[in-house]
Amino acid sequence: DTAVSQTPKYLVTQMGNDKSIKCEQNLGHDTMYWYKQDSKKFLKIMFSYNNKELIINETVPNRFSPKSPDKAHLNLHINSLELGDSAVYFCASSQDQAWQGIYGYTFGSGTRLTVV
Amino acid sequence: SQKIEQNSEALNIQEGKTATLTCNYTNYSPAYLQWYRQDPGRGPVFLLLIRENEKEKRKERLKVTFDTTLKQSLFHITASQPADSATYLCALGSNSGYALNFGKGTSLLVTP
């Protein structure tokens, strides 16, 4: 199946730990994104990445770092986890770049992160 | 600051009626607007895209309008069905942006 897949689907961890979320797309898209959806269901952009070029959202703490081994993968590493990091994290991809706005995004099914 | 506002309360309608969802924005000049559907525990699914120079787009039972003067988009689902029950998100993009900005979504419940 062509899709955007994320692992793990659920992640429960203690404060202070370091964790990673993996994302892979087999759609051949050049652009990938990480979004955070908080408890109020608000989807907020964290990072966008186009063909190994990273565009960083300045409002994201330095504890969050994306890593892209190739254009089909965009992983998210989080250091020193805090309670406020608890949310659902969505990976997405698109065929074009956001400024072109020709195609819609394809989202993964999300990773629910709970920090205790 | 840029704001994208959708109906904050859930919309309940009867099967067969037309559902109309609203997306308003301020301090924003979007080049295009997209609508997504999100079911519980799932990621958003793309439905429709409309550009700033387009007034209306249709896809099967869906219709989207885009009024850049009113700074508003309306999303219509005609002949609604219980299977249409979900949260609907609007998202705006600009020619200088690097990602979509989403509204908080409106929950739609269609009852038989």
Side-chain angles (χ1 to χ4, degrees), chain A residues 4-11 21-23 34-35 37 43 87-92 107-113, chain B residues 38 41-44:
Chain A
V4 176
S5 57
Q6 294 179 231
T7 53
K9 189 166 177 63
Y10 300 97
L11 184 53
I21 306 171
K22 295 185 176 181
C23 178
W34 278 110
Y35 277 84
Q37 190 168 44
L43 258 178
V88 181
Y89 292 84
F90 286 101
C91 178
F107 280 83
S109 56
T111 296
R112 181 174 293 278
L113 172 65
Chain B
Q38 186 173 23
R42 309 292 293 270

Side-chain angles (χ1 to χ4, degrees), chain B:
Chain B
S1 62
Q2 296 173 343
K3 258 188 171 182
I4 303 170
E5 295 181 339
Q6 298 186 245
N7 309 62
S8 57
E9 296 185 8
L11 183 62
N12 292 347
I13 65 165
Q14 197 172 15
E15 182 176 9
K17 303 289 186 184
T18 295
T20 299
L21 285 67
T22 304
C23 177
N24 295 301
Y25 57 92
T26 54
N27 297 325
Y28 209 127
S29 295
Y32 62 93
L33 187 148
Q34 300 184 6
W35 282 90
Y36 288 76
R37 169 185 173 139
Q38 186 173 23
D39 291 285
R42 309 292 293 270
V45 175
F46 171 70
L47 297 175
L48 277 170
L49 178 153
I50 187 166
R51 302 200 67 81
E52 60 177 336
N53 59 349
E54 297 174 317
K55 296 293 184 186
E56 183 179 297
K57 268 280 184 70
R58 290 175 185 262
K59 179 183 176 183
E60 298 171 353
R61 294 184 296 112
L62 309 180
K63 185 178 86 171
V64 172
T65 64
F66 194 8
D67 190 324
T68 55
T69 301
L70 290 178
K71 296 187 183 296
Q72 180 181 79
S73 174
L74 298 179
F75 178 79
H76 306 273
I77 305 174
T78 58
S80 59
Q81 304 165 1
D84 295 327
S85 299
T87 296
Y88 291 86
L89 306 166
C90 76
L92 276 61
S94 69
N95 289 330
S96 58
Y98 60 88
L100 288 176
N101 289 309
F102 282 82
K104 288 189 178 182
T106 298
S107 177
L108 172 66
L109 179 62
V110 181
T111 53

